Amino acid sequence: IKGGILTALVLIIGTVGQIIGGRIGEKYPRQNLLIWVVGLNIPFLVLMGFTADWLLVGIVVILGVVNFSFQPVNNSLISDITPKAQRGMVYGISNGLGFGVGSLAAVGGGYIGEYLSLNLLFPVLGCILIPAVFLCIYVRKNAEFL
């Protein structure tokens, strides 16, 4: 029950993250924001492995806001850097990778939780985001912004 309530809380608070992501995406260069949005997930994921009780709930709430701010920033950035004729395909690839590769997290997370330690699960996920930050930096440096 606690896990379900926490999941519902994250999804509800995620709507705030989406609004914030949309707002800051209108005011600041999205190619720079993407780096921050992805990178800010890392410390909160790591902290989740080392906290409990109300502190954990607070960290999860902040993570929900940060994590869900990714979508409007990412989708707007795709619109900024892709030719109109290819935009639908690029959205499809983005979502396919997000859900396809993201689904592997359940398998990997289950393995980590079952055979190593449940406390390692979120820190490992945070470490997996490090290459994503570098990919965001690559996009910032190499994409032509219209």
Side-chain angles (χ1 to χ4, degrees):
I1 293 175
K2 289 179 185 177
I5 291 171
L6 199 56
T7 301
L9 176 65
V10 169
L11 293 174
I12 290 168
I13 207 71
T15 59
V16 174
Q18 295 231 340
I19 292 167
I20 290 171
R23 293 268 169 104
I24 63 174
E26 292 171 349
K27 294 181 180 181
Y28 302 100
R30 291 183 273 269
Q31 64 273 22
N32 295 331
L33 285 175
L34 190 66
I35 297 166
W36 283 100
V37 168
V38 172
L40 282 174
N41 279 276
I42 296 169
F44 297 112
L45 285 168
V46 171
L47 285 171
M48 285 177 65
F50 302 104
T51 58
D53 301 323
W54 288 107
L55 181 58
L56 176 62
V57 172
I59 289 169
V60 167
V61 166
I62 295 168
L63 176 66
V65 171
V66 170
N67 187 54
F68 280 91
S69 66
F70 170 81
Q71 185 189 19
V73 172
N74 182 61
N75 286 348
S76 298
L77 185 58
I78 287 173
S79 178
D80 291 344
I81 66 175
T82 57
K84 191 173 184 179
Q86 297 173 336
R87 201 164 291 150
M89 180 186 66
V90 175
Y91 282 125
I93 291 170
S94 175
N95 285 303
L97 286 172
F99 288 110
V101 174
S103 68
L104 298 175
V107 175
Y111 180 84
I112 292 167
E114 185 73 26
Y115 296 107
L116 299 175
S117 166
L118 197 54
N119 288 345
L120 283 177
L121 176 59
F122 292 104
V124 167
L125 290 174
C127 291
I128 289 172
L129 280 179
I130 293 170
V133 172
F134 287 106
L135 180 61
C136 293
I137 292 169
Y138 175 82
V139 167
R140 182 185 68 192
K141 289 183 179 182
N142 294 298
E144 286 191 34
F145 297 97
L146 305 175

